[in-house]
Amino acid sequence: MELTLATIGGLVLDALLGEPRVGHPLVGFGRLAEALDRRLPRRRWAGGLAWLVLVAVPAVAGGVAVWVLPPLAGWLAATVVLWLCIAWHSLKAHTRAVETALQADDVVGARRAVACLVSRDTTPMDVAAIRRAALESLLENAGDGVHATLFWFAAGGLVVGPAGAVAAAVAHRAINTLDAMWGYRTPRYRRFGWTAARADDLANWPSARLTALSFVLVGNARWALRCWQQQAKALASPNAGPVMCAGAGAMGVRLGGGAYYHGVYRQRPAFGCGVYPGGGDIERAIALVGRTLVLWGVAIVLLDWLWR
């Protein structure tokens, strides 16, 4: 049951400690990615090569470092790595900051807070748009920053052991981070970030469907399933679509609509069902994701028991 204990331990550390304020490896990773971004040509091959180095080197190094440890020490190390890779505490804190500002009628502060979550322009947002953006980001990032990390950590741990759990979790966190930094269709990143965007789509494909299914199981099943089946294909992202549509349906809220990206207005389809979100819906969304994590924890326990 080592995988079970490592999974629970990583989630508990995240809940109690959040992300380290100093010395987080992801900070150094981001600086290295920025340095390569500044120095490399805006070509697809350059972005692909940089992506390969930034993903493969830390994943292999982490896996090898754990491989040489005794099994117990390896699983303890895997627990710490999961804590460093999972982002649930941070995501909750950033999303709650938006609602705290809105409850205080601080629209400017709410715009600043939601700007930490989304890539769209926040200056034109009114209260309704701010709350929709926060909920969309919460659902999407829970899918690719929390559930996907758990998926690859568990898959690597079941197949290989602690070294596999560490390598898979580190690789996914690197892939997800590079997509957040480079995966844009702007002139600067359209070619350079192509590999980062496509790799993130592939890496998150299985976990996105499992996350959407989880929303069906822990929320309003009929609405979640209907929104997933009927609306997800209209959204641009092949993975965020199922997750956000199922999540919005599970909550019975309507999200989406037009927004400004890099100064250009983009009309996006509305999705979900019911009414537009209001006060209290951010906490409801956090509770919804929390229930899916309990569900995933139970599933990992069962798989760990059956696999061994």
Side-chain angles (χ1 to χ4, degrees), residues 91-169:
L91 179 60
K92 287 189 293 184
H94 281 95
T95 310
R96 280 176 171 147
V98 176
E99 186 61 30
T100 299
L102 290 177
Q103 292 297 328
D105 294 325
D106 182 7
V107 178
V108 175
R111 288 175 181 145
R112 285 197 301 266
V114 82
C116 297
L117 293 166
V118 299
S119 60
R120 68 193 74 172
D121 299 337
T122 60
T123 303
M125 287 184 179
D126 58 12
V127 170
I130 291 170
R131 191 170 274 121
R132 289 198 305 273
L135 280 171
E136 290 170 28
S137 180
L138 174 66
L139 294 173
E140 180 180 2
N141 285 306
D144 64 22
V146 180
H147 292 93
T149 299
L150 274 180
F151 173 84
W152 287 111
F153 182 83
L158 287 171
V159 175
V160 179
V166 167

Coordinates of all heavy atoms in Angstrom, one line a residue, residues 91-169:
L91 N -4.2 26.6 -5.9 CA -5.3 26.9 -6.8 C -6.5 27.4 -6.0 O -7.2 28.4 -6.3 CB -5.7 25.7 -7.6 CG -6.9 25.8 -8.6 CD1 -6.6 26.9 -9.6 CD2 -7.1 24.5 -9.3
K92 N -6.8 26.8 -4.9 CA -7.9 27.2 -4.0 C -7.6 28.6 -3.5 O -8.6 29.4 -3.4 CB -8.1 26.2 -2.8 CG -8.7 24.9 -3.2 CD -9.0 24.1 -1.9 CE -7.7 23.7 -1.2 NZ -8.1 22.8 0.0
A93 N -6.4 28.8 -3.0 CA -6.1 30.2 -2.4 C -6.3 31.3 -3.5 O -6.9 32.3 -3.1 CB -4.7 30.1 -1.9
H94 N -5.8 31.1 -4.7 CA -5.9 32.1 -5.7 C -7.3 32.3 -6.1 O -7.8 33.5 -6.3 CB -5.1 31.7 -6.9 CG -3.6 32.0 -6.8 ND1 -2.7 31.0 -6.3 CD2 -2.9 33.1 -7.0 CE1 -1.5 31.5 -6.3 NE2 -1.6 32.8 -6.7
T95 N -8.1 31.3 -6.1 CA -9.5 31.4 -6.5 C -10.3 32.1 -5.4 O -11.2 32.9 -5.7 CB -10.1 30.0 -6.9 OG1 -9.3 29.3 -7.8 CG2 -11.5 30.2 -7.5
R96 N -10.1 31.7 -4.2 CA -10.8 32.3 -3.1 C -10.4 33.8 -2.9 O -11.3 34.6 -2.5 CB -10.4 31.6 -1.8 CG -11.2 30.3 -1.6 CD -10.8 29.6 -0.3 NE -11.7 28.5 -0.1 CZ -11.3 27.3 0.5 NH1 -10.0 27.1 0.8 NH2 -12.2 26.4 0.7
A97 N -9.2 34.2 -3.3 CA -8.9 35.6 -3.3 C -9.8 36.5 -4.2 O -10.1 37.6 -3.9 CB -7.4 35.8 -3.7
V98 N -10.2 35.9 -5.3 CA -11.1 36.6 -6.2 C -12.5 36.8 -5.5 O -13.0 37.9 -5.5 CB -11.4 35.7 -7.5 CG1 -12.4 36.4 -8.4 CG2 -10.1 35.5 -8.2
E99 N -13.0 35.8 -4.9 CA -14.3 35.9 -4.2 C -14.2 36.9 -3.0 O -15.1 37.6 -2.7 CB -14.8 34.6 -3.8 CG -16.2 34.6 -3.2 CD -17.3 35.1 -4.2 OE1 -17.1 34.9 -5.4 OE2 -18.3 35.7 -3.7
T100 N -13.1 36.8 -2.3 CA -12.9 37.7 -1.1 C -12.9 39.2 -1.6 O -13.6 40.0 -0.9 CB -11.5 37.4 -0.5 OG1 -11.5 36.1 0.0 CG2 -11.3 38.4 0.7
A101 N -12.3 39.5 -2.7 CA -12.3 40.8 -3.2 C -13.7 41.2 -3.7 O -14.2 42.4 -3.4 CB -11.3 41.0 -4.4
L102 N -14.4 40.3 -4.3 CA -15.8 40.6 -4.8 C -16.7 40.8 -3.6 O -17.6 41.7 -3.7 CB -16.3 39.5 -5.7 CG -15.6 39.3 -7.0 CD1 -16.2 38.1 -7.8 CD2 -15.8 40.6 -7.9
Q103 N -16.6 40.1 -2.6 CA -17.4 40.2 -1.4 C -17.2 41.6 -0.7 O -18.1 42.1 -0.1 CB -17.2 39.1 -0.4 CG -17.7 37.7 -0.9 CD -19.2 37.7 -1.1 OE1 -20.0 38.4 -0.4 NE2 -19.6 36.9 -2.1
A104 N -16.0 42.1 -0.9 CA -15.6 43.4 -0.3 C -15.9 44.6 -1.3 O -15.5 45.7 -1.0 CB -14.1 43.5 0.1
D105 N -16.6 44.2 -2.4 CA -16.9 45.2 -3.5 C -15.6 45.9 -4.1 O -15.7 47.0 -4.5 CB -17.8 46.3 -3.0 CG -19.2 45.8 -2.6 OD1 -19.7 44.9 -3.3 OD2 -19.8 46.3 -1.6
D106 N -14.5 45.1 -4.0 CA -13.3 45.6 -4.6 C -13.1 45.0 -6.0 O -12.4 44.0 -6.1 CB -12.1 45.2 -3.6 CG -10.8 45.7 -4.1 OD1 -10.7 46.5 -5.1 OD2 -9.7 45.3 -3.5
V107 N -13.7 45.6 -7.0 CA -13.7 45.1 -8.3 C -12.3 45.1 -8.9 O -11.8 44.2 -9.6 CB -14.7 45.8 -9.2 CG1 -14.6 45.3 -10.7 CG2 -16.1 45.7 -8.7
V108 N -11.5 46.2 -8.6 CA -10.2 46.3 -9.1 C -9.3 45.2 -8.5 O -8.5 44.6 -9.2 CB -9.6 47.7 -8.7 CG1 -8.1 47.8 -9.1 CG2 -10.4 48.8 -9.5
G109 N -9.4 45.0 -7.2 CA -8.7 43.9 -6.6 C -9.1 42.5 -7.1 O -8.2 41.6 -7.2
A110 N -10.4 42.3 -7.4 CA -10.8 41.1 -8.0 C -10.2 40.9 -9.4 O -9.9 39.7 -9.7 CB -12.3 41.0 -8.1
R111 N -10.1 41.9 -10.1 CA -9.5 41.8 -11.5 C -8.0 41.4 -11.3 O -7.5 40.6 -12.1 CB -9.6 43.1 -12.2 CG -11.0 43.5 -12.7 CD -11.0 44.8 -13.3 NE -12.4 45.2 -13.8 CZ -12.9 46.4 -13.8 NH1 -12.1 47.4 -13.3 NH2 -14.1 46.6 -14.2
R112 N -7.3 42.0 -10.3 CA -5.9 41.7 -10.1 C -5.8 40.2 -9.7 O -4.9 39.5 -10.1 CB -5.3 42.6 -9.0 CG -5.0 44.0 -9.5 CD -4.0 44.6 -8.5 NE -4.6 44.7 -7.2 CZ -5.2 45.7 -6.7 NH1 -5.4 46.8 -7.5 NH2 -5.7 45.7 -5.5
A113 N -6.7 39.8 -8.8 CA -6.7 38.4 -8.3 C -7.0 37.4 -9.5 O -6.3 36.4 -9.6 CB -7.7 38.2 -7.2
V114 N -8.0 37.7 -10.3 CA -8.3 36.7 -11.4 C -7.2 36.7 -12.5 O -7.0 35.7 -13.2 CB -9.7 37.0 -12.0 CG1 -9.6 38.2 -13.0 CG2 -10.3 35.8 -12.6
A115 N -6.4 37.8 -12.6 CA -5.3 37.9 -13.5 C -4.3 36.9 -13.2 O -3.5 36.5 -14.1 CB -4.7 39.3 -13.6
C116 N -4.2 36.4 -11.9 CA -3.3 35.4 -11.6 C -3.7 34.0 -12.0 O -2.9 33.0 -12.0 CB -3.1 35.3 -10.0 SG -2.4 36.8 -9.3
L117 N -4.9 33.9 -12.5 CA -5.5 32.6 -12.9 C -5.7 32.4 -14.4 O -5.7 31.3 -14.9 CB -6.9 32.4 -12.2 CG -6.9 32.3 -10.7 CD1 -8.3 32.4 -10.1 CD2 -6.3 30.9 -10.3
V118 N -5.9 33.5 -15.1 CA -6.3 33.4 -16.5 C -5.4 34.2 -17.4 O -4.7 35.1 -16.9 CB -7.8 34.0 -16.7 CG1 -8.8 33.1 -15.9 CG2 -7.9 35.4 -16.3
S119 N -5.3 33.9 -18.6 CA -4.5 34.6 -19.6 C -5.3 35.6 -20.4 O -4.7 36.4 -21.1 CB -3.9 33.6 -20.6 OG -5.0 32.9 -21.3
R120 N -6.6 35.7 -20.2 CA -7.4 36.7 -20.9 C -7.2 38.1 -20.2 O -6.7 38.2 -19.1 CB -8.8 36.3 -20.8 CG -9.5 36.4 -19.5 CD -10.8 35.7 -19.4 NE -10.7 34.2 -19.5 CZ -11.7 33.4 -19.3 NH1 -13.0 33.9 -19.1 NH2 -11.5 32.1 -19.4
D121 N -7.5 39.2 -20.9 CA -7.4 40.5 -20.4 C -8.5 40.7 -19.3 O -9.7 40.5 -19.6 CB -7.6 41.5 -21.5 CG -6.5 41.4 -22.6 OD1 -5.4 40.8 -22.3 OD2 -6.7 41.8 -23.7
T122 N -8.1 41.2 -18.2 CA -9.0 41.4 -17.1 C -9.6 42.8 -16.9 O -10.6 43.0 -16.2 CB -8.4 40.9 -15.8 OG1 -7.2 41.8 -15.5 CG2 -7.9 39.5 -15.8
T123 N -8.9 43.8 -17.6 CA -9.3 45.2 -17.4 C -10.8 45.4 -17.7 O -11.5 46.2 -17.0 CB -8.4 46.1 -18.2 OG1 -7.1 45.9 -17.8 CG2 -8.8 47.6 -18.0
P124 N -11.3 44.8 -18.8 CA -12.7 45.1 -19.2 C -13.7 44.3 -18.4 O -15.0 44.5 -18.6 CB -12.8 44.7 -20.7 CG -11.4 44.3 -21.1 CD -10.7 44.0 -19.9
M125 N -13.3 43.5 -17.5 CA -14.3 42.6 -16.8 C -15.1 43.3 -15.8 O -14.7 44.1 -15.0 CB -13.5 41.4 -16.1 CG -12.9 40.4 -17.0 SD -12.1 39.1 -16.1 CE -11.5 38.0 -17.4
D126 N -16.4 42.9 -15.8 CA -17.3 43.3 -14.8 C -17.4 42.2 -13.7 O -16.7 41.2 -13.9 CB -18.7 43.6 -15.3 CG -19.4 42.5 -16.0 OD1 -18.9 41.4 -16.0 OD2 -20.4 42.7 -16.7
V127 N -18.2 42.3 -12.7 CA -18.3 41.3 -11.6 C -18.6 39.9 -12.2 O -18.0 38.9 -11.8 CB -19.2 41.8 -10.5 CG1 -19.5 40.7 -9.5 CG2 -18.7 43.0 -9.8
A128 N -19.6 39.9 -13.0 CA -20.1 38.6 -13.6 C -19.0 37.9 -14.4 O -18.8 36.7 -14.2 CB -21.3 38.8 -14.4
A129 N -18.3 38.7 -15.2 CA -17.2 38.1 -16.0 C -16.0 37.6 -15.1 O -15.4 36.6 -15.4 CB -16.7 39.1 -17.0
I130 N -15.8 38.4 -14.1 CA -14.7 38.0 -13.2 C -15.0 36.6 -12.5 O -14.2 35.7 -12.5 CB -14.5 39.0 -12.1 CG1 -13.9 40.3 -12.7 CG2 -13.6 38.5 -11.0 CD1 -13.9 41.5 -11.7
R131 N -16.2 36.5 -12.0 CA -16.6 35.3 -11.4 C -16.6 34.1 -12.3 O -16.2 33.0 -12.0 CB -18.0 35.4 -10.7 CG -18.3 34.3 -9.7 CD -19.5 34.6 -8.9 NE -19.2 35.4 -7.7 CZ -19.7 36.6 -7.4 NH1 -20.5 37.2 -8.2 NH2 -19.3 37.2 -6.3
R132 N -17.1 34.3 -13.6 CA -17.1 33.2 -14.6 C -15.7 32.8 -14.9 O -15.4 31.6 -15.0 CB -17.8 33.7 -15.8 CG -19.3 33.8 -15.7 CD -20.0 33.8 -17.1 NE -19.4 34.8 -18.0 CZ -19.9 36.1 -18.1 NH1 -20.9 36.5 -17.3 NH2 -19.4 36.9 -18.9
A133 N -14.8 33.8 -15.0 CA -13.4 33.5 -15.4 C -12.8 32.7 -14.2 O -12.0 31.7 -14.5 CB -12.6 34.8 -15.6
A134 N -13.0 33.1 -13.0 CA -12.4 32.3 -11.9 C -12.9 30.9 -11.8 O -12.1 30.0 -11.6 CB -12.8 33.1 -10.6
L135 N -14.2 30.7 -12.1 CA -14.7 29.3 -12.0 C -14.2 28.5 -13.2 O -13.9 27.3 -13.0 CB -16.3 29.4 -12.1 CG -17.0 29.7 -10.8 CD1 -18.5 29.9 -11.0 CD2 -16.7 28.5 -9.8
E136 N -14.1 29.1 -14.4 CA -13.6 28.4 -15.5 C -12.1 27.9 -15.2 O -11.7 26.8 -15.5 CB -13.7 29.2 -16.8 CG -15.1 29.4 -17.3 CD -15.1 30.5 -18.4 OE1 -14.1 30.7 -19.1 OE2 -16.1 31.2 -18.6
S137 N -11.4 28.9 -14.7 CA -10.0 28.6 -14.4 C -9.8 27.5 -13.3 O -9.0 26.6 -13.4 CB -9.2 29.8 -14.0 OG -7.9 29.5 -13.7
L138 N -10.7 27.6 -12.3 CA -10.6 26.6 -11.2 C -10.9 25.2 -11.8 O -10.2 24.2 -11.5 CB -11.7 26.9 -10.2 CG -11.9 25.9 -9.1 CD1 -10.6 25.8 -8.2 CD2 -13.1 26.2 -8.2
L139 N -12.0 25.1 -12.6 CA -12.3 23.7 -13.2 C -11.2 23.2 -14.1 O -10.8 22.1 -14.0 CB -13.6 23.8 -13.9 CG -14.9 24.1 -13.1 CD1 -16.1 24.3 -14.0 CD2 -15.1 23.0 -12.1
E140 N -10.7 24.1 -15.0 CA -9.7 23.7 -16.0 C -8.4 23.3 -15.3 O -7.8 22.3 -15.6 CB -9.5 24.8 -17.0 CG -8.4 24.4 -18.0 CD -8.1 25.5 -19.0 OE1 -8.8 26.6 -18.9 OE2 -7.3 25.3 -19.9
N141 N -7.9 24.2 -14.3 CA -6.7 23.9 -13.7 C -6.8 22.7 -12.7 O -5.8 22.0 -12.5 CB -6.2 25.1 -12.9 CG -5.6 26.2 -13.9 OD1 -4.8 25.9 -14.7 ND2 -6.2 27.4 -13.8
A142 N -7.9 22.5 -12.2 CA -8.1 21.3 -11.4 C -7.9 20.0 -12.2 O -7.3 19.0 -11.8 CB -9.5 21.2 -10.7
G143 N -8.4 20.1 -13.5 CA -8.2 19.0 -14.4 C -6.8 18.8 -14.8 O -6.3 17.6 -14.7
D144 N -6.1 19.8 -15.2 CA -4.7 19.6 -15.8 C -3.6 19.9 -14.7 O -2.5 19.5 -15.0 CB -4.5 20.4 -17.0 CG -4.5 21.9 -16.8 OD1 -4.3 22.4 -15.6 OD2 -4.7 22.7 -17.7
G145 N -3.9 20.5 -13.6 CA -2.9 20.7 -12.6 C -3.0 19.9 -11.4 O -2.0 19.8 -10.6
V146 N -4.1 19.2 -11.1 CA -4.3 18.4 -9.9 C -4.6 17.0 -10.3 O -3.9 16.1 -10.0 CB -5.5 19.0 -9.1 CG1 -5.7 18.1 -7.8 CG2 -5.2 20.4 -8.7
H147 N -5.7 16.8 -11.0 CA -6.1 15.4 -11.4 C -5.1 14.7 -12.3 O -4.8 13.6 -12.2 CB -7.5 15.4 -12.0 CG -8.6 15.7 -11.1 ND1 -9.1 17.0 -11.0 CD2 -9.3 15.0 -10.3 CE1 -10.1 17.0 -10.1 NE2 -10.2 15.8 -9.6
A148 N -4.6 15.5 -13.3 CA -3.6 14.9 -14.2 C -2.3 14.5 -13.5 O -1.7 13.5 -13.8 CB -3.3 15.9 -15.4
T149 N -1.9 15.4 -12.6 CA -0.7 15.0 -11.8 C -0.9 13.7 -11.0 O -0.1 12.8 -10.9 CB -0.3 16.2 -10.8 OG1 -0.1 17.3 -11.6 CG2 0.9 15.8 -10.0
L150 N -2.1 13.6 -10.3 CA -2.4 12.4 -9.6 C -2.5 11.2 -10.5 O -2.0 10.1 -10.2 CB -3.8 12.6 -8.9 CG -3.8 13.2 -7.5 CD1 -5.2 13.3 -7.0 CD2 -2.9 12.5 -6.6
F151 N -3.0 11.4 -11.7 CA -3.2 10.3 -12.7 C -1.8 9.7 -13.0 O -1.6 8.5 -12.9 CB -3.9 10.8 -13.9 CG -3.9 9.8 -15.0 CD1 -4.9 8.8 -15.1 CD2 -3.0 9.8 -16.0 CE1 -4.9 7.8 -16.1 CE2 -3.0 8.8 -17.1 CZ -4.0 7.8 -17.1
W152 N -0.9 10.6 -13.4 CA 0.4 10.1 -13.8 C 1.3 9.7 -12.7 O 2.1 8.7 -12.8 CB 1.2 11.2 -14.6 CG 0.6 11.4 -16.0 CD1 -0.1 12.5 -16.4 CD2 0.6 10.5 -17.0 NE1 -0.6 12.3 -17.7 CE2 -0.1 11.1 -18.1 CE3 1.1 9.2 -17.2 CZ2 -0.3 10.4 -19.3 CZ3 1.0 8.6 -18.4 CH2 0.2 9.2 -19.4
F153 N 1.1 10.3 -11.5 CA 1.8 9.8 -10.3 C 1.4 8.3 -10.0 O 2.2 7.5 -9.8 CB 1.5 10.7 -9.1 CG 2.2 10.3 -7.8 CD1 3.5 10.7 -7.6 CD2 1.6 9.6 -6.9 CE1 4.2 10.4 -6.4 CE2 2.2 9.2 -5.7 CZ 3.5 9.6 -5.5
A154 N 0.1 8.1 -10.0 CA -0.4 6.8 -9.7 C -0.1 5.8 -10.8 O 0.3 4.6 -10.5 CB -2.0 6.8 -9.5
A155 N -0.2 6.2 -12.0 CA 0.2 5.3 -13.1 C 1.6 4.9 -13.1 O 2.0 3.7 -13.2 CB -0.1 5.9 -14.5
G156 N 2.5 5.8 -12.9 CA 3.9 5.5 -12.8 C 4.2 4.7 -11.6 O 5.1 3.7 -11.6
G157 N 3.6 4.9 -10.4 CA 3.8 4.2 -9.2 C 3.3 2.7 -9.4 O 3.9 1.8 -8.9
L158 N 2.1 2.5 -10.0 CA 1.6 1.2 -10.2 C 2.5 0.3 -11.1 O 2.8 -0.8 -10.8 CB 0.2 1.3 -10.7 CG -0.9 1.7 -9.8 CD1 -2.2 1.9 -10.5 CD2 -1.1 0.7 -8.6
V159 N 3.0 0.9 -12.2 CA 3.7 0.2 -13.2 C 5.2 -0.1 -12.8 O 5.7 -1.2 -12.9 CB 3.6 0.9 -14.5 CG1 4.5 0.2 -15.6 CG2 2.2 0.9 -15.0
V160 N 5.8 1.0 -12.2 CA 7.3 0.9 -12.0 C 7.6 0.9 -10.5 O 8.6 0.3 -10.1 CB 8.0 2.1 -12.7 CG1 9.5 2.1 -12.5 CG2 7.7 2.1 -14.2
G161 N 6.8 1.7 -9.7 CA 7.2 1.9 -8.3 C 7.5 3.3 -8.1 O 7.1 4.2 -8.9
P162 N 8.2 3.6 -7.0 CA 8.4 5.1 -6.6 C 9.2 5.8 -7.7 O 8.9 7.0 -7.9 CB 9.2 5.0 -5.3 CG 9.7 3.6 -5.3 CD 8.8 2.7 -6.0
A163 N 10.1 5.2 -8.3 CA 10.9 5.9 -9.4 C 9.9 6.3 -10.5 O 10.1 7.4 -11.1 CB 12.0 5.0 -9.9
G164 N 9.0 5.4 -10.9 CA 8.1 5.7 -11.9 C 7.1 6.8 -11.5 O 6.8 7.7 -12.4
A165 N 6.7 6.8 -10.3 CA 5.8 7.8 -9.8 C 6.4 9.2 -9.9 O 5.8 10.2 -10.3 CB 5.3 7.5 -8.4
V166 N 7.7 9.3 -9.4 CA 8.4 10.5 -9.4 C 8.7 11.0 -10.9 O 8.4 12.2 -11.2 CB 9.7 10.4 -8.7 CG1 10.7 11.6 -8.9 CG2 9.5 10.2 -7.2
A167 N 9.2 10.1 -11.7 CA 9.5 10.5 -13.1 C 8.2 11.0 -13.8 O 8.2 12.0 -14.5 CB 10.1 9.3 -13.9
A168 N 7.1 10.3 -13.6 CA 5.9 10.6 -14.3 C 5.3 11.9 -13.8 O 4.8 12.8 -14.6 CB 4.8 9.5 -14.2
A169 N 5.3 12.1 -12.5 CA 4.8 13.4 -11.9 C 5.6 14.6 -12.3 O 5.1 15.7 -12.6 CB 4.7 13.3 -10.4

